[in-house]
Amino acid sequence: MKTQRCNIFFVIGIFVLMIWSCTSKNLSESRETAQIFFDALKEGNTNLMLEKYEKVGILKSYFKSDSIQILNSSEIHDSLIKVTVKNFYTNGFGKLSNKEMALFISTDSTQSFDRIIDSRGLTDYAENEFYDFAKKVGCLKEVDTSDVEIGLKLLHAEVFAHELQMKTLLNFAENVSVLDWSWKSEYGGSASGKGIVQNNTNFNIPNVKYIVKYMDNKGNVLTTDDGYVSYNKLEFGESTAFTFYTSYIGNASKASITLDFDEEMIKKYVLDNKEYDGDEYDNFKNLTE
């Protein structure tokens, strides 16, 4: 009986030793992977960075590194280990910064812990121009905490913002129009004209620009000219008169006029709008799926 108990304890001991040895090896490999990645980051070796962390390109930017201190590593489950580090960097003005970061490391095809699949704290998404917008429209949620999760959501938010910009631009093109305009040739090959622009949108639109094309009797464009309808905002529901003068139009006999809108202004409006209710992205996603 005593011999049997000894055998059982011996087997259990061997089993525990094997588990400890395997876990120790996995933790060691994951720390080595973390060190290789940060060494590549320090050297600016993007190829090696991508080799170790394929999705690092989603981050668009990341903190620089001079050195790291590995604080701890822990096994989350059989094929995933979290390595926490403190990153040190001194900028060109001699200011030292240190930030705590985490890498989530998984096994590769050889079952070595050699592949980073996600991170936390490697970048500061608050500087991304779509970050606040993504939160306001409900694209980025509180459950999105890792770098890759946030990075992917910001890419989706960028697509959604572009969609809203295009809709706003189309709205302007359809509902802001030149009601009436005329032009005439002047002495010395110049031309002058006047017109009225009506704003039938719900927006007060700044920087509305006119573009005049002058053509010969065959419709060939000889020259173009542009300017602003008004230096003030074109109020919604209102109209405004404007004049223009072109110093030289050659022998033009025809002309056309179009309106142009500041796309940077439209982008700023879409990103800075404070009237989102947080459901906009989900509604957009449901329409496109």
Side-chain angles (χ1 to χ4, degrees), residues 102-139:
L103 299 181
F104 297 92
I105 301 173
S106 184
T107 54
D108 61 11
S109 58
T110 66
Q111 299 305 305
S112 297
F113 281 82
D114 196 34
R115 183 168 60 96
I116 302 167
I117 62 171
D118 207 342
S119 58
R120 185 174 290 134
L122 194 60
T123 184
D124 184 1
Y125 279 118
E127 296 181 0
N128 185 293
E129 63 178 331
F130 298 100
Y131 184 79
D132 289 335
F133 168 78
K135 292 195 294 184
K136 287 187 292 186
V137 299
C139 180

Coordinates of all heavy atoms in Angstrom, one line a residue, residues 102-139:
A102 N 1.3 46.2 -23.0 CA 1.2 44.7 -22.9 C 1.1 44.2 -24.3 O 0.5 44.8 -25.2 CB -0.1 44.4 -22.2
L103 N 1.7 43.0 -24.5 CA 1.7 42.3 -25.8 C 1.0 41.0 -25.5 O 1.2 40.3 -24.5 CB 3.1 42.0 -26.3 CG 4.0 43.2 -26.6 CD1 5.3 42.8 -27.2 CD2 3.3 44.2 -27.6
F104 N 0.1 40.6 -26.4 CA -0.6 39.3 -26.3 C 0.0 38.4 -27.4 O -0.1 38.6 -28.6 CB -2.1 39.5 -26.5 CG -2.7 40.3 -25.5 CD1 -2.9 41.7 -25.7 CD2 -3.2 39.8 -24.3 CE1 -3.4 42.5 -24.7 CE2 -3.7 40.6 -23.3 CZ -3.9 41.9 -23.5
I105 N 0.7 37.3 -26.9 CA 1.5 36.5 -27.8 C 0.9 35.1 -27.9 O 0.6 34.5 -26.8 CB 3.0 36.5 -27.2 CG1 3.5 37.9 -27.2 CG2 3.9 35.6 -28.1 CD1 4.9 38.0 -26.5
S106 N 0.9 34.6 -29.1 CA 0.3 33.3 -29.3 C 1.3 32.4 -30.0 O 2.4 32.9 -30.4 CB -1.0 33.5 -30.2 OG -1.6 32.2 -30.4
T107 N 0.9 31.2 -30.3 CA 1.8 30.2 -30.9 C 1.8 30.4 -32.4 O 0.8 30.8 -33.0 CB 1.4 28.8 -30.5 OG1 0.0 28.6 -30.9 CG2 1.6 28.5 -29.1
D108 N 2.9 30.0 -33.0 CA 3.0 30.0 -34.5 C 2.9 28.6 -35.0 O 2.4 27.7 -34.2 CB 4.3 30.6 -34.9 CG 5.5 29.9 -34.4 OD1 5.3 28.7 -33.9 OD2 6.7 30.3 -34.6
S109 N 3.2 28.4 -36.2 CA 3.0 27.0 -36.8 C 3.9 26.0 -36.2 O 3.6 24.8 -36.2 CB 3.3 27.1 -38.3 OG 4.6 27.5 -38.5
T110 N 5.0 26.4 -35.5 CA 5.8 25.4 -34.8 C 5.5 25.3 -33.3 O 6.2 24.7 -32.6 CB 7.3 25.9 -34.9 OG1 7.5 27.1 -34.2 CG2 7.7 26.1 -36.4
Q111 N 4.4 25.9 -32.9 CA 3.9 25.8 -31.5 C 4.8 26.6 -30.6 O 4.8 26.4 -29.4 CB 3.8 24.4 -31.0 CG 2.7 23.6 -31.8 CD 1.4 24.3 -31.8 OE1 0.8 24.6 -30.8 NE2 0.8 24.5 -33.1
S112 N 5.6 27.5 -31.1 CA 6.4 28.4 -30.3 C 5.6 29.7 -30.1 O 4.9 30.1 -31.0 CB 7.8 28.7 -31.0 OG 8.5 27.6 -31.2
F113 N 5.9 30.3 -28.9 CA 5.2 31.6 -28.7 C 5.9 32.7 -29.3 O 6.7 33.5 -28.7 CB 5.0 31.8 -27.2 CG 3.9 31.0 -26.6 CD1 4.1 29.7 -26.2 CD2 2.7 31.6 -26.4 CE1 3.0 28.9 -25.7 CE2 1.6 30.9 -25.9 CZ 1.8 29.5 -25.6
D114 N 5.7 32.8 -30.6 CA 6.5 33.7 -31.5 C 5.7 34.7 -32.3 O 6.2 35.3 -33.2 CB 7.3 32.8 -32.5 CG 8.5 33.5 -33.1 OD1 9.1 34.4 -32.5 OD2 8.8 33.2 -34.3
R115 N 4.4 34.8 -32.0 CA 3.5 35.6 -32.8 C 2.7 36.6 -31.9 O 1.9 36.1 -31.1 CB 2.6 34.7 -33.6 CG 1.7 35.4 -34.6 CD 1.1 34.4 -35.5 NE 0.3 33.4 -34.8 CZ -1.1 33.5 -34.6 NH1 -1.7 34.4 -35.1 NH2 -1.7 32.5 -33.9
I116 N 2.8 37.9 -32.1 CA 2.0 38.9 -31.3 C 0.7 39.1 -32.1 O 0.8 39.4 -33.3 CB 2.8 40.2 -31.2 CG1 4.1 40.0 -30.5 CG2 2.0 41.2 -30.4 CD1 5.1 41.1 -30.6
I117 N -0.4 38.9 -31.4 CA -1.7 39.0 -32.1 C -2.4 40.3 -31.7 O -3.4 40.7 -32.4 CB -2.6 37.8 -31.9 CG1 -2.9 37.6 -30.4 CG2 -1.9 36.5 -32.5 CD1 -4.0 36.6 -30.2
D118 N -2.0 40.9 -30.6 CA -2.7 42.1 -30.2 C -1.8 42.8 -29.1 O -0.8 42.3 -28.7 CB -4.0 41.9 -29.6 CG -5.0 43.0 -29.7 OD1 -4.5 44.2 -29.9 OD2 -6.2 42.8 -29.6
S119 N -2.1 44.0 -28.8 CA -1.4 44.8 -27.8 C -2.3 45.7 -27.1 O -3.5 45.9 -27.5 CB -0.2 45.5 -28.4 OG -0.7 46.4 -29.4
R120 N -1.8 46.4 -26.0 CA -2.5 47.4 -25.3 C -1.5 48.5 -24.9 O -0.5 48.1 -24.2 CB -3.3 46.8 -24.1 CG -4.2 47.8 -23.4 CD -5.0 47.2 -22.4 NE -6.0 46.3 -23.0 CZ -6.3 45.1 -22.5 NH1 -5.6 44.6 -21.5 NH2 -7.2 44.4 -23.1
G121 N -1.8 49.7 -25.3 CA -0.9 50.8 -24.9 C 0.3 51.1 -25.8 O 1.1 52.0 -25.5
L122 N 0.4 50.4 -26.9 CA 1.5 50.6 -27.8 C 1.3 51.9 -28.6 O 2.3 52.4 -29.2 CB 1.6 49.4 -28.8 CG 2.9 49.3 -29.6 CD1 4.1 49.1 -28.7 CD2 2.8 48.1 -30.5
T123 N 0.1 52.4 -28.6 CA -0.1 53.7 -29.4 C -1.2 54.5 -28.6 O -1.8 54.0 -27.7 CB -0.7 53.4 -30.8 OG1 -0.8 54.6 -31.5 CG2 -2.0 52.6 -30.7
D124 N -1.3 55.8 -29.0 CA -2.3 56.6 -28.3 C -3.3 57.0 -29.4 O -3.1 57.9 -30.2 CB -1.6 57.9 -27.7 CG -2.6 58.8 -27.0 OD1 -3.8 58.4 -26.9 OD2 -2.1 59.8 -26.5
Y125 N -4.4 56.4 -29.4 CA -5.4 56.6 -30.4 C -6.1 58.0 -30.2 O -6.9 58.4 -31.1 CB -6.4 55.5 -30.5 CG -6.0 54.3 -31.2 CD1 -5.8 53.1 -30.6 CD2 -5.7 54.4 -32.6 CE1 -5.4 52.0 -31.3 CE2 -5.2 53.3 -33.3 CZ -5.1 52.1 -32.7 OH -4.7 51.0 -33.4
A126 N -6.0 58.6 -29.1 CA -6.6 59.9 -28.8 C -6.2 60.9 -29.8 O -6.8 61.9 -30.1 CB -6.4 60.3 -27.4
E127 N -5.0 60.7 -30.4 CA -4.5 61.7 -31.4 C -5.0 61.4 -32.8 O -4.8 62.2 -33.7 CB -2.9 61.6 -31.5 CG -2.3 62.1 -30.2 CD -0.8 62.0 -30.2 OE1 -0.2 61.6 -31.3 OE2 -0.1 62.4 -29.2
N128 N -5.7 60.3 -33.0 CA -6.3 60.0 -34.3 C -7.5 60.9 -34.6 O -8.4 61.1 -33.7 CB -6.7 58.5 -34.3 CG -7.2 58.0 -35.7 OD1 -8.3 58.5 -36.2 ND2 -6.5 57.1 -36.3
E129 N -7.6 61.5 -35.8 CA -8.6 62.5 -36.1 C -10.0 61.9 -36.1 O -11.0 62.6 -36.0 CB -8.4 63.1 -37.4 CG -8.4 62.2 -38.6 CD -8.2 62.9 -39.9 OE1 -8.6 64.1 -40.0 OE2 -7.7 62.3 -40.9
F130 N -10.1 60.5 -36.1 CA -11.4 59.9 -36.2 C -11.8 59.3 -34.8 O -12.9 58.7 -34.7 CB -11.5 58.8 -37.2 CG -11.2 59.3 -38.6 CD1 -10.0 59.1 -39.2 CD2 -12.3 59.9 -39.3 CE1 -9.8 59.6 -40.5 CE2 -12.1 60.3 -40.6 CZ -10.8 60.2 -41.2
Y131 N -11.0 59.5 -33.8 CA -11.2 58.9 -32.5 C -12.5 59.4 -31.8 O -13.4 58.6 -31.4 CB -10.0 59.1 -31.6 CG -10.1 58.4 -30.3 CD1 -9.8 57.0 -30.1 CD2 -10.4 59.1 -29.1 CE1 -9.8 56.4 -28.9 CE2 -10.5 58.5 -27.9 CZ -10.2 57.1 -27.8 OH -10.2 56.5 -26.6
D132 N -12.6 60.7 -31.7 CA -13.8 61.3 -31.0 C -15.0 61.0 -31.8 O -16.1 60.7 -31.3 CB -13.6 62.8 -30.8 CG -12.6 63.1 -29.7 OD1 -12.4 62.2 -28.8 OD2 -12.0 64.1 -29.7
F133 N -14.9 61.1 -33.1 CA -16.0 60.9 -34.0 C -16.5 59.4 -33.9 O -17.7 59.2 -33.8 CB -15.6 61.1 -35.5 CG -16.6 60.6 -36.5 CD1 -17.7 61.3 -36.8 CD2 -16.3 59.4 -37.2 CE1 -18.7 60.8 -37.7 CE2 -17.2 58.9 -38.1 CZ -18.4 59.6 -38.4
A134 N -15.6 58.5 -33.8 CA -15.9 57.0 -33.7 C -16.7 56.8 -32.4 O -17.6 56.0 -32.4 CB -14.7 56.2 -33.7
K135 N -16.4 57.5 -31.3 CA -17.1 57.3 -30.1 C -18.5 58.0 -30.2 O -19.5 57.4 -29.7 CB -16.3 58.0 -28.9 CG -15.0 57.2 -28.6 CD -14.5 57.6 -27.2 CE -14.0 59.1 -27.2 NZ -13.4 59.4 -25.9
K136 N -18.6 59.2 -30.8 CA -19.8 59.9 -30.9 C -20.9 59.1 -31.7 O -22.1 59.2 -31.3 CB -19.6 61.3 -31.4 CG -18.9 62.2 -30.5 CD -18.9 63.6 -31.0 CE -18.0 63.8 -32.2 NZ -17.8 65.2 -32.6
V137 N -20.5 58.5 -32.7 CA -21.4 57.8 -33.6 C -21.7 56.3 -33.2 O -22.5 55.6 -33.8 CB -21.0 57.8 -35.1 CG1 -20.9 59.3 -35.6 CG2 -19.7 57.1 -35.3
G138 N -21.0 55.9 -32.1 CA -21.2 54.5 -31.6 C -20.4 53.4 -32.3 O -20.7 52.3 -32.1
C139 N -19.4 53.8 -33.1 CA -18.6 52.8 -33.7 C -17.6 52.3 -32.7 O -17.3 51.1 -32.7 CB -17.8 53.5 -34.9 SG -16.7 52.4 -35.8

